[in-house]
Amino acid sequence: MSPTIPILILAIPLFMFIFLGLCGKKMSHLLAGVLGTLGMGTVLVLAYYTAFTYFFSGSEMFISEAGERLQYVVFNQTWLQFTHSLVISLGFFLDPISAMMLVVITTISFMVHLYSLGYMRDHHGVFEKGFQRFYAFLSLFSFSMLGLVVATNIFQMYIFWELVGASSYLLIGFYYTKHSAVSASKKAFIVTRFADLGFLIGILVLSYYTGTFDFTNLTSVPVEGIANTYHVDLSTPTAVLGVFQSSAAPMFMGASVLTWALVLIFMGGMGKSAMMPLHIWLPDAMEGPTPVSALIHAATMVVAGVYLVARLFPLYLMETSALEIITVVGALTAFYAAMVACAQIDIKRVLAFSTISQIAFMMVSLGVARPEYHEGLGYMASMFHLFTHAMFKALLFLGAGALIHAIGSNDYTEMHGLRKYMPITHWTFLIGCLAIAGIIPFSGFFSKDEILSAAVNYGVWVYVWMSLVAGLTAFYMFRLYYLIFWWKEHKVREGHHAPHDQPWTMSLPLIILAVVSCVAGFIPFGEFVSWNGEPYDFMAHFDWNVATVSLIVAVLSILLATLMYRKENPLPAKFKNAVPALWNWCHHRFYWDELYMFITHKIIFNGICRPLAWFDRHIIDGTMDSFAYLTNKASGAVRPLQSGQVQMYVWIYVIGALLLGGITVLCLI
């Protein structure tokens, strides 16, 4: 494959960021938006062409005679070389999951670019201040995310990982005059920096013992006779495990160094993917524009952690204790987020906690993936759910944006009865709800049940736990749906227009994503993506018993939500009053934010930093100030001696000579 198209995939969004950032203010808002959208549309076409070529061309560089999907390094330029093998390169890595992510990122990004042409202006057609800057930041984020998924080595991934964090900071804080948006952007940046520190330490530990950053050297072996082509082989991660086991320091605190390296790398994924206890930034990140929420917090940035674990999955198979940690963290996060989502009234925060829960679903699927269990079904299921979730969650966020744009509020208690006013938004949002609830034949049904099938083979407790989470998901999503589109009629506030469907630039992405959410489940995903590249007939391992049970759970949850929220009735209030403590805990997010505030403000700031600041100010600075004071006083005392009068100097000389002579005489006597 020629490197021209892959280079353009990365170069175009970078160019659009620089161009719009420097020249955006010199052009009209509409022109800047159209140029940004056309640039992303071009990248979309190129990415689709690249993915199509990889999956369907039949080239020996991409697929073996046995049907195994291969890894292909399109280009790889050396940037920094430390040793013969320890090299930081910048390149383009093509394999099943990177090709899939090219499709996901460019699709969602293009939809967001198109959607924003309508969303980022009011009902009178006036564009928001900073519109050009917004499109520049979108291009920067797209460039960063694309660079992350095609990285040839883990250090290149880390570089773009940090760029993703920086661009998300800029987008979340887009409304920089709004205090809550500024606080949210700083919160996201700081929390993810702590996670990224763990990620960096993990990279350094891994590279120190293995002597390489390259994914191919960590998980694959070259294909004989074909340049730049590799296939997954467990002999490589087994050799990596052997390196750690034979090292001088194989253990630390009862765990192998490889385990620590992989757990620390997963820590970076915990931050980006908002896993407990590093999840607190994501709900507050909803302060950014809703298209940003769809792009970053539904389909792309938050799945970076899942992608990271999937990229290094052969290594994780060598240390199953790390996979068990991933499973436990994912299971706890999924249940926690689902419980909290049931008690929120801000539409974007419901979707934010839903995202946390669904990303945790994917993490659990990777954690329970073992070759001995249905040939690694969990890996394929996780990637499949990543793909389907990106589409229907982006649909739900963009639908929420249409509602917010029409009503002027995030509070869905002000959005009752909107199905009559906004039919396109209503039907597309309903499709998104059915997909995430796992109702057949929508896409979420297939990917979710593959995860549950993988879980039941790993352990009954994981299956039961995740089935409960799936039931809660269906409940809170249809609670949201009924409260917005049904219940009592929406009353138009004085001075406001009646709500209505948005212009075609906002409606078209909703329709396209809704169609994809209807048909994506029928994609034979296992033929394209598996943990070792071998074709995987996931329907052959599809457990219809599990699917039937999960479908029953989902339907019962929807019926419960219908009973409680289809029309105004006292049941929600009765439930709230019956379990007030549980409701308050869920409504206040189990007081995680308060806990963080207590730790940071009461303990770190007031208990540690303030005494240290006092010690620095009064003891350290006071000591230095005392030296300066004494020096100043001494200089003031001797200053009169430097009068410039010769008579004074003679007298001083004479007195000094007499004193010296007197001392000499006394000493001689």
Side-chain angles (χ1 to χ4, degrees):
M1 172 182 284
S2 172
T4 303
I5 291 178
I7 289 174
L8 287 174
I9 290 174
L10 297 176
I12 291 175
L14 178 61
F15 171 77
M16 294 308 302
F17 162 66
I18 297 172
F19 179 71
L20 293 177
L22 296 177
C23 306
K25 282 197 171 184
K26 298 179 181 179
M27 61 183 72
S28 66
H29 294 76
L30 181 61
L31 178 60
V34 170
L35 288 176
T37 305
L38 289 175
M40 199 64 237
T42 305
V43 176
L44 173 74
V45 173
L46 296 176
Y48 271 61
Y49 173 80
T50 302
F52 184 87
T53 301
Y54 177 79
F55 285 122
F56 299 107
S57 69
S59 171
E60 65 176 1
M61 297 182 299
F62 306 139
I63 188 168
S64 68
E65 293 181 358
E68 179 188 4
R69 300 286 176 184
L70 303 175
Q71 301 172 336
Y72 181 67
V73 179
V74 181
F75 66 89
N76 201 29
Q77 298 297 317
T78 299
W79 181 39
L80 295 173
Q81 183 165 355
F82 302 102
T83 66
H84 176 71
S85 60
L86 194 61
V87 179
I88 299 177
S89 302
L90 299 176
F92 196 102
F93 190 64
L94 203 56
D95 77 333
I97 58 173
S98 64
M100 177 204 67
M101 289 300 296
L102 286 177
V103 173
V104 171
I105 295 169
T106 55
T107 300
I108 304 302
S109 185
F110 177 72
M111 295 299 160
V112 167
H113 276 74
L114 181 61
Y115 182 91
S116 299
L117 289 174
Y119 184 86
M120 298 298 288
R121 54 181 170 178
D122 60 22
H123 298 285
H124 303 289
V126 179
F127 289 93
E128 290 198 24
K129 182 181 179 182
F131 184 82
Q132 302 96 323
R133 173 168 52 89
F134 177 76
Y135 269 83
F137 291 165
L138 284 181
S139 297
L140 176 62
F141 177 84
S142 300
F143 162 73
S144 304
M145 197 66 207
L146 289 168
L148 188 154
V149 299
V150 300
T152 59
N153 60 85
I154 196 168
F155 211 95
Q156 180 187 344
M157 178 181 279
Y158 180 77
I159 294 170
F160 282 95
W161 190 278
E162 294 300 316
L163 277 175
V164 166
S167 53
S168 68
Y169 166 80
L170 296 172
L171 285 167
I172 295 169
F174 174 75
Y175 299 120
Y176 60 88
T177 57
K178 187 179 177 184
H179 177 73
S180 58
V182 174
S183 297
S185 64
K186 291 190 291 186
K187 187 176 186 178
F189 193 78
I190 293 170
V191 172
T192 54
R193 290 294 73 70
F194 279 103
D196 294 350
L197 176 61
F199 185 17
L200 179 60
I201 295 172
I203 292 172
L204 296 177
V205 171
L206 186 64
S207 62
Y208 176 80
Y209 285 97
T210 61
T212 184
F213 294 118
D214 286 355
F215 292 127
T216 54
N217 295 333
L218 293 171
T219 62
S220 318
V221 296
V223 174
E224 223 177 297
I226 309 176
N228 302 323
T229 305
Y230 304 82
H231 69 95
V232 176
D233 192 322
L234 284 183
S235 64
T236 300
T238 302
V240 171
L241 177 62
V243 169
F244 279 88
Q245 290 177 340
S246 62
S247 66
M251 302 292 291
F252 179 71
M253 295 178 63
S256 73
V257 179
L258 179 58
T259 301
W260 276 103
L262 294 176
V263 170
L264 287 168
I265 290 172
F266 170 63
M267 181 178 172
M270 288 174 61
K272 280 289 189 289
S273 294
M275 297 288 100
M276 291 176 61
L278 302 174
H279 66 284
I280 61 169
W281 67 270
L282 186 61
D284 290 347
M286 298 301 109
E287 293 292 340
T290 302
V292 172
S293 302
L295 178 62
I296 296 179
H297 310 121
T300 52
M301 174 180 163
V302 290
V303 300
V306 179
Y307 181 83
L308 173 63
V309 175
R311 172 59 68 206
L312 293 173
F313 186 72
L315 280 180
Y316 280 95
L317 283 179
M318 297 297 104
E319 285 292 340
T320 54
S321 54
L323 285 179
E324 290 171 359
I325 292 173
I326 292 173
T327 303
V328 172
V329 171
L332 292 174
T333 303
F335 181 76
Y336 157 80
M339 290 287 292
V340 173
C342 293
Q344 302 300 304
I345 61 172
D346 186 305
I347 183 174
K348 290 176 68 175
R349 278 178 168 74
V350 173
L351 296 177
F353 280 103
S354 172
T355 298
I356 295 173
S357 183
Q358 294 300 304
I359 297 298
F361 240 97
M362 303 172 203
M363 284 292 191
V364 170
S365 188
L366 287 173
V368 302
R370 302 287 195 281
E372 60 267 28
Y373 301 144
H374 285 335
E375 302 171 15
L377 172 63
Y379 181 96
M380 189 282 300
S382 178
M383 296 298 99
F384 194 16
H385 198 60
L386 187 157
F387 179 81
T388 60
H389 173 265
M391 303 303 166
F392 60 68
K393 184 53 65 69
L395 167 62
L396 290 168
F397 264 109
L398 295 183
L403 295 166
I404 294 168
H405 196 263
I407 304 301
S409 173
N410 291 20
D411 189 340
Y412 60 66
T413 60
E414 301 182 18
M415 301 179 182
H416 304 313
L418 290 179
R419 70 188 189 281
K420 298 179 181 179
Y421 299 95
M422 305 175 70
I424 295 176
T425 306
H426 166 238
W427 287 109
T428 54
F429 199 90
L430 177 59
I431 289 172
C433 291
L434 290 169
I436 196 173
I439 301 299
I440 193 168
F442 300 96
S443 60
F445 167 79
F446 298 94
S447 58
K448 181 197 71 174
D449 285 310
E450 292 288 0
I451 293 176
L452 294 177
S453 296
V456 76
N457 285 281
Y458 178 81
V460 175
W461 74 269
V462 181
Y463 166 70
V464 173
W465 185 273
M466 300 312 293
S467 296
L468 177 60
V469 174
L472 288 171
T473 302
F475 173 78
Y476 68 67
M477 286 308 304
F478 274 85
R479 169 180 178 264
L480 180 68
Y481 165 73
Y482 283 123
L483 286 173
I484 293 173
F485 295 103
W486 291 77
W487 244 31
K488 60 187 178 182
E489 288 288 326
H490 172 79
K491 294 181 180 179
V492 180
R493 289 181 291 180
E494 188 176 350
H496 286 68
H497 60 84
H500 56 82
D501 276 318
Q502 305 306 314
W504 72 269
T505 56
M506 296 176 66
S507 298
L508 183 60
L510 295 179
I511 296 171
I512 293 173
L513 291 171
V515 172
V516 174
S517 298
C518 291
V519 303
F522 297 98
I523 297 174
F525 200 80
E527 294 184 11
F528 305 109
V529 178
S530 64
W531 77 270
N532 58 0
E534 297 178 0
Y536 189 92
D537 186 3
F538 74 91
M539 289 305 299
H541 299 97
F542 194 87
D543 193 330
W544 284 102
N545 293 324
V546 172
T548 302
V549 172
S550 69
L551 187 60
I552 292 172
V553 170
V555 170
L556 290 176
S557 299
I558 293 172
L559 290 175
L560 179 61
T562 304
L563 178 66
M564 295 180 65
Y565 298 104
R566 184 178 180 276
K567 59 182 180 181
E568 193 171 4
N569 65 84
L571 285 178
K574 287 182 178 180
F575 176 79
K576 181 179 178 180
N577 294 330
V579 285
L582 177 62
W583 178 269
N584 286 330
W585 275 78
C586 292
H587 183 68
H588 291 92
R589 314 175 192 178
F590 283 74
Y591 298 96
W592 272 102
D593 286 85
E594 287 78 3
L595 176 62
Y596 268 86
M597 291 294 290
F598 175 79
I599 293 173
T600 55
H601 284 69
K602 297 293 185 182
I603 298 178
I604 297 177
F605 293 163
N606 292 340
I608 300 175
C609 295
R610 185 166 290 180
L612 289 176
W614 183 91
F615 181 83
D616 177 69
R617 188 179 301 110
H618 293 87
I619 304 302
I620 304 299
D621 289 353
T623 302
M624 296 298 104
D625 291 343
S626 298
F627 287 149
Y629 177 79
L630 292 174
T631 302
N632 188 51
K633 286 294 185 182
S635 65
V638 302
R639 189 180 297 116
L641 299 178
Q642 303 295 324
S643 62
Q645 297 179 356
V646 177
Q647 298 92 331
M648 179 63 71
Y649 297 156
V650 172
W651 275 112
I652 293 173
Y653 176 80
V654 171
I655 293 171
L658 291 173
L659 288 174
L660 182 60
I663 294 170
T664 303
V665 170
L666 289 174
C667 291
L668 292 174
I669 294 175

